Amino acid sequence: MSNVTAYALTKSKGRFEKTSITRRELGPKDVRIAIAFAGICHSDIHTAREEWGKVHYPLVPGHEIAGTVEAIGAEVERYEVGDRVGVGCMVNSCRECVNCLAGEEQYCLKGNIGTYNSTDVDGSITQGGYSTHVVVDEDFVLSIPDGLALDVAAPLLCAGITMYSPLRHWKAGPSKQVAIVGLGGLGHMGVKIAHAMGAEVAILTRSAGKEADGKRLGASSFHATGDPEVLKSLRGRFDLIVNTVSAGIAVPKYLSLLRLDGALVNVGVSPEPYQVGFSTLAQMRRSLSASGIGGIRETQEMLNFCAEHGLGADIELITADQIDEAYDRVVASDIRYRFVIDIASLN
Ligand code: NAP
Ligand code: ZN
Ligand code: ZN
């Protein structure tokens, strides 16, 4: 075991404090990563504020991790010291179930092991990326292509894959009309990726001030959802809507924007159950679904795709003592579009 510096919450509703946590000794298949950058995902905030249930304290969030390999275990095959790597939302899974074998470890039938606040195979509680180092089995480590700077690559490990996976699954591409609801950390990556896949992209947002950004990111239209007339004018328009808003949207209204066989896919975690009538779905054979992150193979595919298309996140780099303030600003949607912690500031 070795001690490393981290920023943690030690109690519910507390503030982040500099602390020391332990990382396990390198197992034969482990990679020890010196973390350079960690993105702040809204899920970190939901978790830290116990909006998703009880938390194990101390809690070190962070599942958008980018850094370099510092040491490797004796049987590691895929990485060498000095490699540029990332870690996303999972650090392990059962590896045996039908979903793991299909490369969809996020849907492991036994539940994947989350990067933080999860019980690891040795019974310890996992701790995330707001720390100087992490030790992860090589099978859950991603390679960050040379074309991507580590700071703008970090948010791809959650925001990037969470959008890439449904966009691929529901076949965003040329001649497809795609709408992204909510222009935040996930949403802005969704616009960039869907545009790079060749789809025509619309942004549906409450924030009128983001129009110029939306066009720059690759959207061809921009719609203010506060005005009911705007939503009415979009009825039957889209093949795919990916909703990143967590506050809960009026699902039937958004379903009515879909054309024949269109799908509304939620990635924003709604606190309320969805309510939808039969005819809203049956009229146009529409579907309502939800999607969680992406598998390891697909995450690597996403990183390669983003490098090829020059897609990193739009970030604001902060120091570790600014995490509390950054959380408040994310909740107020006062960030364009992802905070990233400079891990050098932890020491
Ligand atoms: P974020 O950066 O805060 O973006 C969310 C966006 O939603 C905001 O920028 C805002 O966009 C819109 N919004 C926020 N509050 C709203 C409200 N009260 N009413 C309507 N719109 C509102 O968050 P994020 O990191 O992108 O994460 C978004 C959600 O996805 C969170 O629930 C997070 O936990 C979840 N998530 C899910 C997965 C998954 O695997 N499914 C993975 C990562 C995150 P506009 O100003 O443009 O409207
Ligand atoms: Zn996340
Ligand atoms: Zn499994």
Side-chain angles (χ1 to χ4, degrees):
M1 305 259 266
S2 60
N3 290 327
V4 308
T5 304
Y7 266 64
L9 289 172
T10 54
K11 59 174 192 291
S12 182
K13 302 203 168 59
R15 292 177 68 80
F16 277 91
E17 291 167 36
K18 185 171 175 170
T19 185
S20 175
I21 57 169
T22 55
R23 295 297 192 188
R24 66 172 181 261
E25 287 308 318
L26 280 186
K29 287 205 59 198
D30 280 341
V31 172
R32 180 175 163 94
I33 300 165
I35 302 176
F37 299 101
I40 295 180
C41 176
H42 208 128
S43 301
D44 298 353
I45 303 172
H46 290 304
T47 305
R49 299 190 169 171
E50 293 195 305
E51 291 163 10
W52 289 348
K54 281 224 115 6
V55 162
H56 302 277
Y57 294 102
L59 170 74
V60 180
H63 59 206
E64 294 185 335
I65 299 171
T68 52
V69 174
E70 194 178 77
I72 56 172
E75 291 169 22
V76 166
E77 288 174 350
R78 306 206 339 245
Y79 296 101
E80 288 177 11
V81 171
D83 283 354
R84 293 150 37 86
V85 292
V87 178
C89 301
M90 308 176 279
V91 290
N92 219 328
S93 69
C94 87
R95 300 156 184 252
E96 290 170 356
C97 74
V98 61
N99 294 349
C100 283
L101 293 175
E104 305 272 20
E105 302 90 348
Q106 75 280 30
Y107 303 125
C108 174
L109 295 178
K110 292 182 184 158
N112 68 68
I113 297 177
T115 302
Y116 58 81
N117 200 40
S118 279
T119 305
D120 211 340
V121 281
D122 63 3
S124 67
I125 301 299
T126 56
Q127 302 287 8
Y130 302 180
S131 60
T132 56
H133 296 81
V134 65
V135 176
V136 180
D137 185 293
E138 69 166 334
D139 293 340
F140 285 76
V141 174
L142 288 306
S143 170
I144 297 182
D146 283 340
L148 282 173
L150 291 182
D151 53 356
V152 301
L156 302 181
L157 276 303
C158 175
I161 184 59
T162 300
M163 300 307 289
Y164 183 90
S165 186
L167 288 167
R168 267 276 178 265
H169 185 79
W170 276 273
K171 302 188 168 52
S175 81
K176 290 291 176 74
Q177 299 285 332
V178 173
I180 304 291
V181 187
L183 194 59
L186 266 54
H188 94 288
M189 283 315 307
V191 174
K192 290 188 189 201
I193 291 169
H195 175 66
M197 287 173 171
E200 189 160 335
V201 187
I203 295 173
L204 275 54
T205 169
R206 349 158 265 175
S207 307
K210 295 175 178 170
E211 182 156 8
D213 282 356
K215 299 264 165 75
R216 174 178 57 79
L217 297 168
S220 51
S221 67
F222 190 90
H223 310 276
T225 50
D227 179 352
E229 293 306 314
V230 168
L231 281 187
K232 269 190 209 155
S233 72
L234 295 172
R235 278 188 189 156
R237 168 85 75 97
F238 301 109
D239 299 292
L240 172 63
I241 302 174
V242 184
N243 168 43
T244 74
V245 175
S246 60
I249 56 161
V251 163
K253 242 187 234 164
Y254 283 82
L255 281 166
S256 72
L257 310 187
L258 295 169
R259 53 168 63 149
L260 181 64
D261 287 328
L264 168 60
V265 182
N266 288 295
V267 292
V269 180
S270 170
E272 305 295 340
Y274 307 120
Q275 297 239 352
V276 54
F278 172 82
S279 60
T280 308
L281 294 170
Q283 254 171 18
M284 293 283 164
R285 201 163 52 194
R286 296 169 172 131
S287 45
L288 171 63
S289 191
S291 177
I293 51 171
I296 294 296
R297 190 173 59 218
E298 192 172 48
T299 304
Q300 190 61 60
E301 180 187 303
M302 176 277 306
L303 287 166
N304 298 347
F305 177 90
C306 286
E308 195 181 310
H309 293 269
L311 307 180
D314 288 19
I315 64 164
E316 185 174 326
L317 200 62
I318 60 165
T319 51
D321 57 359
Q322 295 175 300
I323 298 171
D324 295 295
E325 184 195 332
Y327 273 31
D328 291 339
R329 284 184 53 197
V330 172
V331 172
S333 298
D334 175 24
I335 165 66
R336 296 188 180 186
Y337 283 92
R338 202 54 140 187
F339 285 111
V340 171
I341 305 165
D342 182 355
I343 297 300
S345 69
L346 264 65
N347 287 317

